[in-house]
Amino acid sequence: MSSLRTALLQSSGRLGDVAENLKALDEAAERAAAAGAGLLVAPEMFLTGYAIGDDVPKLAESVDGMSARAIGDIARRHGLAVLYGYPERDGDTVYNSAQLIGPEGTSLANYRKTHLFGCFEQESFTPGDTPVVQAEYQGLTIGILICYDVEFPENVRAHALAGTDLLLVPTAQMHPFQFVAESLVPVRAFESQMYVAYVNRTGPEGEFEFVGLSCLASPDGTTRTRAGRGEELVLGEVDPELLRASRENNPYLRDRRPGLYESLL
């Protein structure tokens, strides 16, 4: 099985301007496809911007809304899968969501953030209640979490036990918590034996200061690619053979003793 070249779009787009953000996503998809990528991952809430405050209800869209269809067209024209973050409306309820759309232009998976961070998110969104959402793509089992979710080891371990090979984590990770991108994410990849694509926003936005540092972390504990602090498109390889060898050599999942962990529930 060949590697999946994965493009990480580190960008905050334009706050509140869906049309401009779709244009930016289209341009990034063109660049990623030209570089041989089969997957493009954009940050948390990339469709609308993160610090949209009271405009959340106005900008929220359904899972199959106009923007989803536009991104389906982007994915189809450039021949790659696209993962993007957006505010999802379902009736009167709004979720902080991320959707994976395949190269045929159809949805492969939609995930609703289960752990909401801070007052803005807790006041604006309803938490999702499905911890493991997966899709099959190019021979890999792909899972989705969003930002704060990955900071709970239980979430990532649940994906490991469900067979996730590549965990996509669109994020809006802010100052002064850059140690999450620098240190925690590679540890998550190592301890649960999977690739983790952690894709951040960058720069000031409202009251927030996003730190960039997007990365593709590997199950062997290394970082395969790392962005800086500014707008950037970086690429890394998800290698199934490295994943297989790492799982064979690392005994964490085999040596677990779940019967001892019942108190954690």
Side-chain angles (χ1 to χ4, degrees):
M1 189 188 306
S2 60
S3 296
L4 172 61
R5 182 164 293 178
T6 301
L8 316 183
L9 174 59
Q10 180 166 285
S11 171
S12 289
R14 185 176 295 179
L15 187 63
D17 193 334
V18 172
E20 280 299 313
N21 295 333
L22 287 171
K23 181 180 177 182
L25 194 64
D26 191 7
E27 293 171 349
E30 182 177 21
R31 290 168 56 202
L39 171 64
L40 171 66
V41 185
E44 179 177 9
M45 295 281 285
F46 183 76
L47 183 65
T48 60
Y50 183 85
I52 53 176
D54 294 339
D55 286 338
V56 168
K58 180 178 74 175
L59 292 172
E61 297 189 23
S62 66
V63 68
D64 57 354
M66 289 182 59
S67 294
R69 294 193 293 274
I71 294 169
D73 180 62
I74 290 170
R76 189 167 48 247
R77 281 190 289 106
H78 298 296
L80 79 176
V82 178
L83 184 285
Y84 69 100
Y86 73 110
E88 179 196 351
R89 173 176 296 284
D90 184 1
D92 294 328
T93 305
V94 179
Y95 300 95
N96 181 338
S97 296
Q99 182 161 211
L100 178 64
I101 293 182
E104 295 79 21
T106 56
S107 179
L108 300 180
N110 187 71
Y111 170 77
R112 295 166 172 172
K113 190 173 186 178
T114 55
H115 295 72
L116 301 177
F117 177 80
C119 294
F120 163 61
E121 289 190 20
Q122 292 169 7
E123 293 169 0
S124 301
F125 302 105
T126 296
D129 57 8
T130 304
V132 176
V133 171
Q134 297 171 311
E136 298 299 318
Y137 181 61
Q138 292 197 11
L140 296 168
T141 299
I142 295 179
I144 308 169
L145 293 176
I146 299 175
C147 197
Y148 194 40
D149 289 328
V150 81
E151 298 178 36
F152 294 82
E154 299 88 346
N155 283 343
V156 185
R157 182 52 53 85
H159 270 277
L161 297 177
T164 293
D165 299 314
L166 168 61
L167 185 63
L168 307 182
V169 188
T171 190
Q173 204 264 311
M174 56 198 71
H175 178 81
F177 306 112
Q178 51 264 31
F179 68 89
V180 173
E182 293 170 336
S183 302
L184 186 147
V185 169
V187 168
R188 288 285 176 271
F190 182 75
E191 70 188 4
S192 281
Q193 287 298 288
M194 64 180 66
Y195 282 91
V196 180
Y198 186 79
V199 186
N200 200 11
R201 307 178 68 80
T202 182
E205 188 177 317
E207 64 184 286
F208 308 108
E209 176 75 29
F210 300 114
V211 301
L213 300 174
S214 300
C215 66
L216 177 65
S218 171
D220 64 3
T222 64
T223 299
R224 294 289 152 169
T225 190
R226 167 81 71 185
R229 296 297 186 99
E231 301 263 340
E232 197 169 350
L233 182 72
V234 297
L235 294 104
E237 301 290 336
V238 175
D239 182 355
E241 178 55 31
L242 185 150
L243 180 61
R244 184 203 61 77
S246 183
R247 286 173 171 173
E248 185 175 300
N249 293 327
N250 186 314
Y252 280 164
L253 299 180
R254 295 192 300 274
D255 288 351
R256 291 174 67 251
R257 297 180 62 193
L260 301 180
Y261 313 146
E262 293 177 2
S263 64
L264 296 178
L265 300 177

